[in-house]
Amino acid sequence: MLLYDTLRSGNAWKVRLMASLAGVPIERRTLSIDRGDLAKPSFLAVAPLRHVPVLQLPDGSHLAESLAILHYLAQGTRWWPDTLPGQSSVLTWLSFEQDRHMKPLAQLRLILALHPGGDPQDALCIAHARAARAALSVLDTQLARQGQDGWVATRDHPSIADVALYPYTCMAPMGGIALNDYPAVQAWLKRIESLPRYQALFPGQPERNLSTQEQP
Ligand SMILES: N[C@@H](CCC(=O)N[C@@H](CS)C(=O)NCC(=O)O)C(=O)O
């Protein structure tokens, strides 16, 4: 399968992480927002939502949205639970990720790290920081409730909810959000990074997870 991504997209990182953890081989077609690749007709033809990630499936069709792609890749694996309560709990945390978690963290990283020159005292940044801290507090409370070795939605085994929530939580410090106040989150990040076949933002270079460098 072929993944359309960009080098530093956290939403595409979710997909590459999931594919690696589930042992699904994927090829990458890495585009550049700065070069205008996402506005080109060749990309728009396969990406009606005009965002990465997009995954080309074996039948030639294209699937958009990171969480839909995680759901696709996890079928038949323990990353998508086989009980209705388990599946429903995963959906709860996927909704949380899109509704309250990803956007403020992604925007802060974009404004303050990837496009340097942003002002953390700007009203928009202050609002994003407040929303990001509120989301991390919810996540920390949930992880503490799940126990020392527990996972976000399903206590005994990680699910696609853990994969979905990992990248932007891990990269929160790039947007000025320190993780020291969230001990259960910090321990959970380490558990994810210890999983067999964990994949860093730049494959094989976990020390660059918080890097602003474009070079591969
Ligand atoms: N809800 C979407 C969000 C995807 C998204 O925001 N993608 C960003 C990169 S991380 C993008 O393609 N941005 C292009 C642009 O802003 O022009 C998902 O979870 O996949």
Side-chain angles (χ1 to χ4, degrees):
M1 285 183 281
L2 176 68
L3 174 68
Y4 294 81
D5 66 3
T6 63
L7 273 179
R8 298 180 302 187
S9 162
N11 286 300
W13 186 11
K14 296 173 196 170
V15 174
R16 290 186 291 104
L17 178 57
M18 183 74 260
S20 182
L21 291 168
V24 178
I26 50 171
E27 286 174 49
R28 297 175 68 177
R29 182 160 301 164
T30 299
L31 308 176
S32 161
I33 295 177
D34 295 344
R35 232 179 16 229
D37 292 345
L38 273 58
K40 289 185 179 157
S42 55
F43 179 67
L44 298 179
V46 301
L49 302 187
R50 304 179 182 191
H51 277 166
V52 291
V54 170
L55 186 67
Q56 185 181 48
L57 306 183
D59 69 359
S61 64
H62 293 87
L63 184 60
E65 287 289 324
S66 61
L67 304 190
I69 300 172
L70 298 189
H71 181 249
Y72 180 91
L73 292 174
Q75 288 310 300
T77 78
R78 291 190 69 197
W79 295 86
W80 176 245
D82 53 11
T83 68
L84 185 57
Q87 292 172 359
S88 305
S89 174
V90 169
L91 291 176
T92 297
W93 290 97
L94 295 183
S95 297
F96 165 76
E97 192 268 345
Q98 290 282 302
D99 186 37
R100 290 163 66 180
H101 175 275
M102 184 265 283
K103 191 167 176 196
L105 289 165
Q107 286 297 311
L108 286 172
R109 172 176 177 252
L110 192 65
I111 297 168
L112 299 178
L114 300 188
H115 295 163
D119 176 4
Q121 297 312 321
D122 176 85
L124 186 61
C125 282
I126 289 173
H128 284 320
R130 189 177 300 124
R133 289 197 179 94
L136 289 172
S137 170
V138 168
L139 183 59
D140 198 65
T141 302
Q142 170 66 4
L143 284 163
R145 192 183 291 137
Q146 294 289 72
Q148 214 179 347
D149 300 318
W151 302 95
V152 171
T154 43
R155 196 186 299 257
D156 296 334
H157 192 277
S159 71
I160 61 174
D162 297 274
V163 178
L165 285 158
Y166 172 76
Y168 287 105
T169 304
C170 164
M171 298 187 293
M174 295 179 78
I177 306 292
L179 292 173
N180 303 350
D181 292 340
Y182 312 102
V185 165
Q186 285 184 305
W188 165 79
L189 291 176
K190 287 205 181 82
R191 288 204 296 285
I192 292 188
E193 287 154 11
S194 303
L195 290 169
R197 297 196 299 256
Y198 165 80
Q199 185 164 134
L201 177 63
F202 293 93
Q205 302 178 70
E207 70 284 359
R208 291 184 65 197
N209 281 348
L210 307 190
S211 166
T212 56
Q213 295 303 309
E214 262 275 313
Q215 290 79 20

